[in-house]
Amino acid sequence: MAKYFEKNFCIINFFLTAFFAAVMVVGASFMKLNSWEEVRRYPIFSLVSFFCYWAAYFIISLLLFKKILGLEKGRQETKSGTYAKFFILWAGLMLCWLPWLIGFYPGISNSDVSDQLAQAFNFENETYRLAEHPLSDEVLINGHHPVFNTWIQGLFLRIGILLGSQNVGIFLHALWIALLTTGVFAYSLWYMMRNSVPRWMCMTVFCIFAFVPCFPLYGINLVKNSTYSAWLYLWVILLVRLAVEGEGLLRKKSYLFLFSLSILLQMLNMKYGVHVVVLTAVFVLWLYRASLRRLLPVFLIPVLAVQIGFNGILMPFLQISPGSRREALGFFYQQTARYARDYPDEVTPEEKAGIDGVLDYDRLAGLYNPITSDPVKFEAYRKEQTRDDQTAYFKVWAKQFTKHPGVYLEAAINGCYGFFYPGLMEWYDYRGFDSAIREVGDGFFTAGHPQALSEFKDLLKAIEYNAKFLPVIGMFFRHGTYVWVMLWCAAALLAVKKYRYLAALMPFLLNILVCIVSPFNANTRYLLPVIYGAGFAVLMVISAVLQMKTGDREQQKDPQCRRKRVPKGLTARTAAGD
């Protein structure tokens, strides 16, 4: 069996490590020059580097896969299924995160949070001014950010005001996010221990959750990505449970309720959550098509509730203006802006007119920032554009692509290479409430970090900064580490034909695709679901391999299984497409 799966993995690994080697070579050039000019300038050196990376990582990756296939030796069944152990793990994580909760009291913010709080209290806000078709001059809350998440931001602050302190409201919100996140982390580790994944591996992931600063810093951050990532992680755990326990689990109403609730809340906390859910649903429903009658409603009900009930009926009824469509099109605008910067003499008057109906052409080259689409989509965007203007723009976009596809590819790589290239350190997006929240609200917002905790907060920030440069530990501060771990786990599950586990991994994999079109290169919050889930993905691979071996032993014991015609190297369960 091992030889069969090793052969499968070698084929997949061949392409995966080739992609990795290309990222290492091209990523180094983009980090220095924001282009692949260095690769073109030194082709021999780049080619040699590519093959060295390819060979080295192919061997390392294959050895890791072989190591996991051999985990059965010396493995002892654990009995870690008691709820007490779940609460111990949960309390342990909260205890480890306590210094961050104290040092950054009342919580952590970014500009999105301050804008949402302004909306929640109906103050003037930047995103309302971006809306092309506002429904009301009096209702300033809008759909630029998830409206439900905005309401929750306002709810906690109102609770704080009722209790006599805005800081208390902010802290209660940060505490809720921390409890939710650590609870989901603890649940995932407890479940893997209960399914006989070696304890030391689960505790290694526990230590990453507990001590790598990115986890507590986002675990107490009020930004919408933190809440979304926690609910998505819970959904992945539920999908893993379905892969492990089988369709019989769908008879449990509590499971179906939690499954549907996790889908609902991730969509309500992130606008692109619906795309992740729908694309994952296609894969999941196909693999569990025998149980379609039970599984389809738990997908369909929350999706319809959000798309039709919340977005289609409730928001217009409350006169909540939809967000600007520019958010979804920044990826294309960046390519046009780079073209205008690099090939201005080749832009014809007709092309310029086609672009100018959507974007202020004369400002594009100056506004273009290789790592973020924000300047172009916020400052060059024309709100008064018509559908005909948009059609004309995309015709020009397609025409210019045929002329210089390379500049489009460079713009796309420049906007996302930091998520894949391990040579680039993470970019953590957080601000103190003293600066962020007081930019809005005409003095209404008073929350801020107490001066008495400033030295302790500075100490924690220094620890977080300096840890990035430590050997081994520093790799946990690089986005590429988490992305490549996730992709490797997907390759391993594909190689052992554990498609149901692979379906559980789909929400994480789809969030990698989200990063490719994200508006800011290497901004940690866009990759947060993948960062949260990378360690769990490794445990999933181990669980899948152990489950496969258990099936092998059962096949050897069962005379009926032995009589079935199964391809060499496969268990009966694997051959059935599990």
Side-chain angles (χ1 to χ4, degrees), residues 316-377:
F317 176 76
L318 297 176
Q319 293 189 301
I320 297 173
S321 304
S324 172
R325 65 194 307 270
R326 75 187 77 191
E327 280 294 299
L329 299 174
F331 178 82
F332 303 101
Y333 297 159
Q334 279 291 89
Q335 294 168 329
T336 299
R338 188 163 183 135
Y339 191 103
R341 187 197 70 175
D342 293 354
Y343 299 101
D345 296 337
E346 297 188 26
V347 180
T348 66
E350 293 78 12
E351 290 174 346
K352 180 177 178 181
I355 294 170
D356 206 57
V358 172
L359 301 169
D360 185 347
Y361 178 83
D362 293 330
R363 301 184 65 195
L364 285 182
L367 287 172
Y368 177 69
N369 183 329
I371 66 168
T372 177
S373 61
D374 284 358
V376 169
K377 72 184 181 187

Side-chain angles (χ1 to χ4, degrees), residues 454-474:
S454 60
E455 290 187 8
F456 185 43
K457 182 177 71 173
D458 290 342
L459 174 63
L460 292 174
K461 291 170 73 172
I463 291 172
E464 186 257 346
Y465 176 78
N466 288 291
K468 296 179 181 180
F469 303 99
L470 295 176
V472 182
I473 294 175

Side-chain angles (χ1 to χ4, degrees), residues 261-275:
L261 181 66
S262 63
I263 290 175
L264 178 69
L265 288 172
Q266 64 181 289
M267 290 190 294
L268 287 174
N269 282 285
M270 186 60 66
K271 292 168 68 175
Y272 58 75
V274 64
H275 304 297

Side-chain angles (χ1 to χ4, degrees), residues 327-461:
E327 280 294 299
L329 299 174
F331 178 82
F332 303 101
Y333 297 159
Q334 279 291 89
Q335 294 168 329
T336 299
R338 188 163 183 135
Y339 191 103
R341 187 197 70 175
D342 293 354
Y343 299 101
D345 296 337
E346 297 188 26
V347 180
T348 66
E350 293 78 12
E351 290 174 346
K352 180 177 178 181
I355 294 170
D356 206 57
V358 172
L359 301 169
D360 185 347
Y361 178 83
D362 293 330
R363 301 184 65 195
L364 285 182
L367 287 172
Y368 177 69
N369 183 329
I371 66 168
T372 177
S373 61
D374 284 358
V376 169
K377 72 184 181 187
F378 288 145
E379 298 181 43
Y381 186 84
R382 296 194 185 280
K383 290 175 63 175
E384 66 278 7
Q385 63 186 259
T386 64
R387 189 172 295 275
D388 289 340
D389 291 329
Q390 295 161 11
T391 301
Y393 165 77
F394 277 106
K395 286 181 179 178
V396 174
W397 180 91
K399 183 179 179 181
Q400 292 182 335
F401 173 74
T402 60
K403 290 184 184 178
H404 294 287
V407 75
Y408 278 40
L409 185 56
E410 276 192 296
I413 293 172
N414 227 146
C416 69
Y417 79 90
F419 294 112
F420 295 86
Y421 179 54
L424 188 68
M425 290 186 184
E426 68 175 351
W427 185 72
Y428 182 71
D429 178 26
Y430 67 84
R431 300 173 64 187
F433 270 92
D434 306 79
S435 58
I437 204 172
R438 293 177 188 173
E439 295 173 357
V440 295
D442 297 324
F444 173 79
F445 298 110
T446 59
H449 299 287
Q451 188 63 32
L453 294 172
S454 60
E455 290 187 8
F456 185 43
K457 182 177 71 173
D458 290 342
L459 174 63
L460 292 174
K461 291 170 73 172

Side-chain angles (χ1 to χ4, degrees), residues 74-113:
R75 182 179 64 84
Q76 295 182 352
E77 298 291 332
T78 62
K79 294 185 179 179
S80 306
T82 63
Y83 288 106
K85 292 182 180 178
F86 160 71
F87 286 108
I88 290 171
L89 289 168
W90 192 2
L93 285 172
M94 281 301 298
L95 186 64
C96 293
W97 285 19
L98 188 60
W100 303 92
L101 270 168
I102 295 172
F104 284 89
Y105 177 88
I108 296 175
S109 170
N110 78 342
S111 56
D112 284 2
V113 175

